[in-house]
Amino acid sequence: MKRFAPLAAALLLAGCGGGIYLGWGGGYDDGAPSVSITTAQTSVAAGGVLRVVAAASDDDSGIDEVAFYRVDGSIDTRLGSDGSAPYEWNVLVPADGRTTVSVFAQARDGAGNSASSTLLTVAVTP
């Protein structure tokens, strides 16, 4: 009868609303993190540097990194990433005649989920 004791205990628990959890590690994280981007600058000189700061959070698995991108026409150019808060980056603004520069941040959580901020656009002065 001793061989069946664990099975009997499991059935008893299952019958009264209890259960046995046989999982590995934490729960499953299928939610994307949240991320936003901002700057204190209202304009930046062509060839200058735009300092941006991102805020990112994730309820389940934390933030692994925040990557920063500059939008160049239809191409998103990855500038680099920051792996710890505060998530900050210095964006080099090309001196190519553009009148604005647009950037965004993309956060990736510990489970591999990612999300992008809205686009931040700043005027470029000659």
Side-chain angles (χ1 to χ4, degrees):
M1 183 68 178
K2 288 186 178 184
R3 290 182 11 196
F4 298 108
L7 178 58
L11 290 173
L12 181 62
L13 283 172
C16 67
I20 296 177
Y21 175 71
L22 299 175
W24 288 266
Y28 180 71
D29 178 6
D30 64 350
S34 63
V35 60
S36 61
I37 190 169
T38 189
T39 184
Q41 296 171 245
T42 56
S43 65
V44 60
V49 172
L50 175 66
R51 181 76 170 170
V52 294
V53 178
S57 64
D58 184 74
D59 290 340
D60 295 317
S61 50
I63 300 296
D64 270 1
E65 74 169 355
V66 174
F68 295 90
Y69 293 83
R70 184 181 65 227
V71 179
D72 296 316
S74 61
I75 299 171
D76 298 337
T77 303
R78 183 182 166 118
L79 304 172
S81 65
D82 191 347
S84 61
Y87 307 103
E88 303 173 298
W89 200 260
N90 287 327
V91 178
L92 179 60
V93 177
D96 59 2
R98 67 179 71 194
T99 58
T100 62
V101 61
S102 296
V103 295
F104 68 93
Q106 185 177 68
R108 185 173 46 85
D109 69 14
N113 302 311
S114 64
S116 296
S117 70
T118 58
L119 204 57
L120 172 69
T121 302
V122 175
V124 176
T125 59

